[in-house]
Amino acid sequence: MTATTKTARVFGSGIRRREDPRLLTGTARYTDDVALPGMVYAAMLRSPHAHARITRLDTSRAKQAPGVVAVFTAADTESVLKPIPCLWLVPGSDLKLSPYRPLAKDVVRYVGDAVAVVVAETSYQAYDALELIEAEYDTLPAVTDPEKATQDAAPELHEQAPGNVAFHWVVQGGDVEAAFRSAEVVVRERIVQQRLLPTAMETHSAVAHYVPVTGELTLWNSTQNPHIVRFACSVVTGIPEDRLRVIAPEVGGGFGSKIAQYPGDFVTVFCSMKLGRPVKWTETRSENYQATTHGRDHVQDVELAATRDGQITGLRCTVWAGMGAYLSTAAPGIPTILHGLMLSGPYRIPALKEDVYGVYTNATPVEAYRGAGRPEATFMLERMINRLAAEIGIDPVDVRRKNLIPPFDDGFDVVTGLKYDSGNYVGALDKVLAHVDYRALRAEQARLRQQGRYMGIGVSTYVEICGLGPSQVAGAVGFQGGLWESAIVRFHPTGKVNVFIGASPHGQGEETTFAQIVADELGVEVTDVKVVHGDTDNTPMGWGTYGSRTTAVGGAALAVATRKIKAKAMLLTGHLLEAAVEDIEYESGRFFVKGTPDRYKTIQDIALLANVAWNLPEGMEAGLEATSFYDPPNFTYPFGAHVAVVEVEPETGRVDLKRYVAVDDCGPQINPVIVEGQVHGGVVQGIGQALWEEAVYDDSGQLLTGSLADYAIPRADQLPEIEVLSTVTPSPHHPLGVKGIGEAGTIASTCTVYNAVIDALAPLKVDAIRMPLTPERVWRALQPSREGA
Amino acid sequence: MTLPVTITINGRSYQRQVEPRLLLVHFLRDVVGLTGTKVGCDTSQCGACTVLLDGTAVKSCTCLAVQVDGSSITTIEGLATEGRLNVLQETFWSKHGLQCGFCTPGMIFAAHELLRHNAHPSAEEIRHGLEGNMCRCTGYQNIVRAIEQAASNEGAA
């Protein structure tokens, strides 16, 4: 047998994705595409009120409607379904849990709170019958603003949480009071991180198939973490985990919103348990905007202390983080662990303190949304640095340079207690500034200002936390699970490989990049490696795809598993070639005795010989398969520097985003084309927050942006080319050095674009505008200065 | 009440009795079982359900099955011929123009429509032509590149 000689290394090559042919031809199967014999359709009746007591719920007419199989309310489900558990119980925060029931009982707490479910032979019949349910309510006062919800007169959502405070968490380091007492300059700002609608193009969906005679449930679910769904579903429904199979088939984007454990999923399971038939439930988009979790929703009061020459000496802030009506799966960890611990960013900040209030409001529950806590921290810091720069009259780039942590390659302790793994923040900043020719941009800005044109430049530097994370830390911060990942590498006798992973990618391309890892480590062709994920019955336990952790943790598990394969192959080669294992070398898919490379076994030879097991060394087990459960020793900390250039038209308030440049460092790139795609998408989502997106509730708690006609996600014609560059700083603790890239773009871009717009308007004395920076908001902000002009 | 319809999809004729209110997209997905066409919204914004109706791209959530009685539909399942990907399928693949893949069938038909009217569009014209189709993963950039590549491949062919 001859081995393949490789000319270019497959690790680092931008090969086409292995998952694409099925996605391009309509053969991929998403949850709503699943059709089973005898399947019926569920539709949810949702509260039209933000806060109300249910006074009457009569389903008798609906039950008589054509095609209707059953109608259920909380009166039916409460004896079977337990409340949905919150899985991030942040310690030391006086967390006030309240029952999160799959169907609301007695009181509804947000527009979209489900009160009943109809199951019918067709989805049209199910929706028809919803109209026949007679639901009456006594409305109660509602509150949707997280800060107002903590004030005296605010209506309370849960008796367990006086003043609507779900938790109060504090992070502090250094002597922040002293820093502010002795500060030469203090700048302040109130920042509103508006509520966002994640808007994965595929809405949430579930197909539940319960077989009464065996007590087994199969649940197809549009989720980022099928193994967590299995665990949570077992807790809520009482079905033992061994009889519970969760399949995340093709998943049409998640961005954090498909981490959550949803009431609708458990209600769908309940219906199948009661009826013994497969039941499908798929959100409409309008329903998705009410029922699928939202993101952000912070009100932040921030103060930064510094010296006159721009050295930051302290940061102090209070955050009211809207949680919505119930605590979603990971929600308490987001404005605390993933936000507060990252507050010092890439800068040396000797003292900081943050008070975070997680607040119940009459709104859809909030969950992770791309970046999850880090965009809210990065924005805060980058905003305050620009404000400081304006206050002391120093270029914002110079203020950043003065405060950036110098390059380090193996650990840097920051004031919040984290140890960053590696970073070269100045390097990223230098690269992006050189690429755009920052001095020339400033000169152009000055020239345009002479002509009465308002060009703005935004620069930001960021660091984020990925690769969640060591399980010991997960436990210490109250995450109700581990944060390791798993991989099984199985060589078949023909030398073809299956990889089974516990993580659950849904568009990020790990079927390709993970095949590249195996190919690179063991010298097989990428096309000989099929990566299997998303089915709890045939993959090892794993904690899911979020927090840019799939490659950072799951990829490490895979690297370790491939190295176990390699070690076994060395042993077997030594046995077959009658040499000591110490004398066996490996290169490009061949194992040979040192000094005699012509006598070799390929990995394919080894796969066959290990599988037939005719001649194995004493004590060696048959087969060529390895499993790794990898628990990382630390998080990974990707970083970068971004620049945005805008021009604002003062007459209309229109922001023209002219240029966007991203330099990101996620360590070595397994597939640079996929990395670039992640940056494009991430940057654009962050731009959406800066310029267009906001979930708007009116005073009564109605969601005004209730459909895609009302909520403005970015469109192709609104965007410039995103210029993507990178630097490469390996993580010292990761077997492949990689860090994660899924969220970086979003973390950096909102503040970069925002700062560019404010920079443009500096001559007009505008120093803050509430996001999103729509033409109307910008125009209104300009009115005082224009009137005065 | 149901009405008879005969609709040709990807070259095959389907005769069915349907409710007058049945949307074409649900006819494709639920009646015929061609689930490659996606539903991403309920207000005709997202374009995920775009198909070809007698050669012209339409959002299949904007028409009723009974309205297209006698017509010919092409869905994403019918685009590859004899196992060979169509040029747009090829260039979406080679330019990494998709991530989760949910918007992709609709995007490809929107691109098809664009190129039918303008064989060599500029990047700006492509972006304009995609206004009615939403993607949350890619930031559109590689979709634009894929369409540019398809235009130049077609020109070369």
Side-chain angles (χ1 to χ4, degrees):
Chain A
M1 203 178 280
T2 54
T4 315
T5 310
K6 297 206 179 301
T7 47
R9 195 177 165 198
V10 67
F11 186 110
S13 141
I15 59 170
R16 296 193 300 186
R17 297 202 315 173
R18 304 210 59 211
E19 37 277 86
D20 287 354
R22 65 176 189 265
L23 298 167
L24 285 161
T25 52
T27 41
R29 188 144 300 177
Y30 299 77
T31 301
D32 190 54
D33 302 339
V34 173
L36 301 172
M39 190 170 76
V40 285
Y41 297 81
M44 308 286 165
L45 182 72
R46 298 186 178 278
S47 167
H49 303 295
H51 200 189
R53 192 165 293 286
I54 304 168
T55 55
R56 181 161 170 264
L57 196 55
D58 184 344
T59 61
S60 52
R61 283 180 63 214
K63 282 177 176 163
Q64 304 306 314
V68 169
V69 177
V71 183
F72 300 114
T73 67
D76 305 296
T77 56
E78 69 176 340
S79 61
V80 176
L81 300 181
K82 293 191 171 57
I84 301 164
C86 176
L87 296 178
W88 203 333
L89 309 177
V90 176
S93 70
D94 196 18
L95 195 70
K96 302 289 202 298
L97 291 168
S98 55
Y100 183 8
R101 294 188 177 87
L103 288 177
K105 183 190 174 194
D106 304 331
V107 175
V108 289
R109 295 183 175 84
Y110 68 99
V111 170
D113 215 349
V115 297
V117 58
V118 171
V119 185
E121 297 291 344
T122 72
S123 62
Y124 280 37
Q125 288 171 329
Y127 285 110
D128 285 345
L130 284 187
E131 308 278 330
L132 301 175
I133 297 176
E134 294 170 26
E136 290 173 15
Y137 303 86
D138 272 349
T139 57
L140 298 166
V143 62
T144 58
D145 179 287
E147 186 194 13
K148 285 182 186 152
T150 62
Q151 292 166 354
D152 283 345
E156 287 186 348
L157 274 80
H158 302 283
E159 60 185 28
Q160 296 88 345
N164 296 316
V165 176
F167 56 87
H168 174 207
W169 181 84
V170 180
V171 59
Q172 54 189 328
D175 189 345
V176 78
E177 303 307 323
F180 276 84
R181 269 198 308 275
S182 61
E184 294 172 19
V185 188
V186 174
V187 288
R188 299 185 173 83
E189 187 164 325
R190 161 156 287 209
I191 296 166
V192 176
Q193 286 280 333
Q194 77 271 32
R195 200 175 247 268
L196 301 175
L197 304 177
T199 319
M201 291 317 298
E202 180 208 28
T203 60
H204 192 66
S205 181
V207 175
H209 186 196
Y210 183 78
V211 180
V213 70
T214 60
E216 291 177 351
L217 174 78
T218 304
L219 177 64
W220 287 262
N221 197 224
S222 179
T223 178
Q224 298 175 220
N225 29 242
H227 294 274
I228 292 182
V229 173
R230 180 178 61 184
F231 165 70
C233 189
S234 176
V235 169
V236 174
T237 65
I239 299 171
E241 269 191 287
D242 63 301
R243 295 183 200 180
L244 224 163
R245 176 182 187 185
V246 178
I247 300 172
E250 225 67 70
V251 174
F255 315 111
S257 73
K258 290 173 182 169
I259 294 172
Q261 305 307 301
Y262 282 106
D265 294 339
F266 303 121
V267 170
T268 304
V269 170
F270 171 87
C271 293
S272 187
M273 289 169 76
K274 284 288 164 190
L275 302 171
R277 294 175 71 174
V279 180
K280 179 190 283 187
W281 165 64
T282 299
E283 290 173 337
T284 65
R285 174 61 63 190
S286 304
E287 184 181 20
N288 169 263
Y289 276 179
Q290 295 181 0
T292 272
T293 52
H294 297 177
R296 312 280 190 264
D297 200 20
H298 282 200
V299 176
Q300 308 172 328
D301 273 341
V302 197
E303 303 176 283
L304 187 79
T307 61
R308 271 273 147 221
D309 63 357
Q311 192 76 53
I312 299 169
T313 55
L315 177 72
R316 187 162 59 188
C317 44
T318 303
V319 170
W320 292 268
M323 291 287 107
Y326 305 98
L327 291 180
S328 184
T329 308
I334 293 157
T336 53
I337 310 305
L338 296 178
H339 171 77
L341 297 185
M342 289 307 294
L343 266 190
S344 63
Y347 309 109
R348 281 168 303 183
I349 299 183
L352 66 76
K353 181 178 184 215
E354 181 184 48
D355 282 83
V356 179
Y357 295 92
V359 184
Y360 286 116
T361 60
N362 294 109
T364 296
V366 167
E367 180 57 83
Y369 171 60
R370 203 167 190 169
R374 293 96 88 202
E376 298 93 315
T378 301
F379 189 99
M380 185 188 276
L381 262 181
E382 294 305 289
R383 189 62 218 124
M384 297 316 288
I385 286 180
N386 268 36
R387 195 169 265 281
L388 171 65
E391 178 71 23
I392 60 181
I394 297 178
D395 188 292
V397 165
D398 296 331
V399 176
R400 284 180 174 79
R401 279 194 193 287
K402 195 171 187 74
N403 290 282
L404 283 174
I405 297 167
F408 59 99
D409 56 19
D410 197 11
F412 185 91
D413 294 305
V414 298
V415 66
T416 57
L418 296 175
K419 184 190 278 292
Y420 294 174
D421 60 346
S422 60
N424 183 358
Y425 311 134
V426 180
L429 181 61
D430 285 342
K431 184 157 186 171
V432 78
L433 294 179
H435 181 79
V436 299
D437 194 350
Y438 183 66
R439 291 293 148 212
L441 275 184
R442 285 290 176 202
E444 188 190 354
Q445 179 184 44
R447 190 173 56 76
L448 289 173
R449 277 183 183 169
Q450 297 279 321
Q451 302 171 13
R453 289 172 62 185
Y454 297 91
M455 169 183 160
I457 305 158
V459 180
S460 63
T461 40
Y462 76 92
V463 61
E464 63 128 334
I465 182 169
C466 282
L468 316 176
S471 298
Q472 196 179 5
V473 176
V477 299
F479 186 74
Q480 303 297 295
L483 282 173
W484 44 264
E485 278 306 326
S486 59
I488 297 170
V489 177
R490 180 177 301 158
F491 270 80
H492 302 296
T494 52
K496 311 293 183 190
V497 186
N498 274 140
V499 170
F500 303 86
I501 58 171
S504 195
H506 42 279
Q508 298 89 345
E510 274 87 358
E511 288 179 36
T512 306
T513 51
F514 278 23
Q516 287 178 267
I517 291 174
V518 176
D520 186 67
E521 292 280 336
L522 294 171
V524 294
E525 295 293 332
V526 168
T527 48
D528 286 346
V529 184
K530 178 175 160 53
V531 177
V532 177
H533 59 83
D535 182 343
T536 60
D537 259 14
N538 64 15
T539 59
M541 175 71 191
W543 293 93
T545 290
Y546 44 82
S548 306
R549 64 188 299 278
T550 302
T551 303
V553 186
L558 179 56
V560 171
T562 59
R563 290 169 192 180
K564 290 182 183 176
I565 296 272
K566 189 182 279 180
K568 181 167 180 175
M570 295 267 192
L571 278 173
L572 185 51
T573 304
H575 173 72
L576 295 167
L577 299 181
E578 297 175 340
V581 66
E582 297 76 28
D583 293 330
I584 304 300
E585 293 195 335
Y586 168 81
E587 199 180 308
S588 302
R590 298 178 184 200
F591 299 87
F592 51 89
V593 182
K594 201 179 293 180
T596 56
D598 291 344
R599 290 185 61 221
Y600 61 84
K601 298 289 176 191
T602 65
I603 187 68
Q604 291 83 3
D605 296 334
I606 296 295
L608 179 64
L609 295 168
N611 273 296
V612 296
W614 292 336
N615 179 13
L616 300 182
E618 183 80 27
M620 179 180 279
E621 290 182 352
L624 190 61
E625 175 166 328
T627 301
S628 169
F629 290 83
Y630 184 84
D631 204 341
N634 190 6
F635 303 95
T636 59
Y637 294 88
F639 60 90
H642 289 203
V643 170
V645 180
V646 302
E647 184 168 349
V648 181
E649 194 176 72
E651 291 76 14
T652 62
R654 182 171 175 274
V655 174
D656 183 11
L657 178 56
K658 302 185 85 68
R659 196 165 174 200
Y660 197 96
V661 184
V663 173
D664 297 291
D665 192 323
C666 60
Q669 299 180 6
I670 300 167
N671 185 320
V673 173
I674 288 177
V675 168
E676 188 189 11
Q678 290 295 309
V679 174
H680 290 163
V683 164
V684 167
Q685 269 180 310
I687 292 170
Q689 178 178 4
L691 297 182
W692 305 298
E693 295 184 33
E694 181 172 25
V696 181
Y697 283 98
D698 73 7
D699 289 341
S700 70
Q702 288 297 325
L703 180 63
L704 300 183
T705 50
S707 78
L708 252 177
D710 311 294
Y711 186 79
I713 70 166
R715 290 192 323 245
D717 61 326
Q718 298 171 306
L719 300 160
E721 280 266 317
I722 312 296
E723 300 164 55
V724 179
L725 295 85
S726 58
T727 57
V728 178
T729 307
S731 171
H733 65 73
H734 189 287
L736 303 169
V738 305
K739 291 191 171 186
I741 192 62
E743 295 160 292
T746 312
I747 289 165
S749 65
T750 307
C751 56
T752 307
V753 170
Y754 185 94
N755 275 339
V757 174
I758 300 300
D759 182 62
L761 301 178
L764 298 173
K765 310 289 178 222
V766 171
D767 64 359
I769 305 174
R770 188 176 158 160
M771 287 190 292
L773 303 175
T774 57
E776 183 190 345
R777 289 254 170 90
V778 174
W779 183 84
R780 282 187 190 282
L782 289 173
Q783 291 321 295
S785 71
R786 288 177 65 76
E787 279 158 20
Chain B
M1 183 184 72
T2 59
L3 296 171
V5 292
T6 303
I7 302 172
T8 301
I9 306 169
N10 303 329
R12 184 177 154 193
S13 175
Y14 294 87
Q15 294 186 346
R16 296 288 189 276
Q17 288 287 132
V18 300
E19 281 188 88
R21 62 174 175 170
L22 183 73
L23 295 174
L24 174 59
V25 66
H26 293 137
F27 182 82
L28 296 172
R29 289 180 52 81
D30 301 335
V31 177
V32 177
L34 290 170
T35 55
T37 304
K38 300 301 177 204
V39 178
C41 74
D42 43 16
T43 49
S44 298
Q45 252 77 36
C46 79
C49 66
T50 306
V51 298
L52 296 186
L53 169 62
D54 295 326
T56 299
V58 298
K59 293 180 178 179
S60 60
C61 71
T62 61
C63 42
L64 301 167
V66 292
Q67 285 177 297
V68 304
D69 183 25
S71 294
S72 191
I73 306 287
T74 305
T75 70
I76 194 69
E77 290 92 340
L79 207 53
T81 45
E82 293 166 6
R84 283 195 54 201
L85 296 182
N86 158 288
V87 62
L88 281 160
Q89 290 171 314
E90 276 289 349
T91 59
F92 269 66
W93 190 11
S94 60
K95 292 295 178 186
H96 188 30
L98 64 153
Q99 290 181 24
C100 82
F102 198 81
C103 74
T104 309
M107 278 291 173
I108 284 179
F109 285 116
H112 182 278
E113 184 73 5
L114 173 70
L115 295 179
R116 205 164 62 84
H117 292 284
N118 180 356
H120 297 286
S122 66
E124 194 183 340
E125 287 169 331
I126 292 172
R127 286 177 179 273
H128 203 63
L130 296 177
E131 275 176 342
N133 290 70
M134 290 174 172
C135 170
R136 195 59 154 166
C137 294
T138 64
Y140 304 99
Q141 190 150 320
N142 287 340
I143 294 175
V144 174
R145 289 175 178 169
I147 297 169
E148 286 177 322
Q149 179 73 36
S152 69
N153 286 2
E154 290 279 80

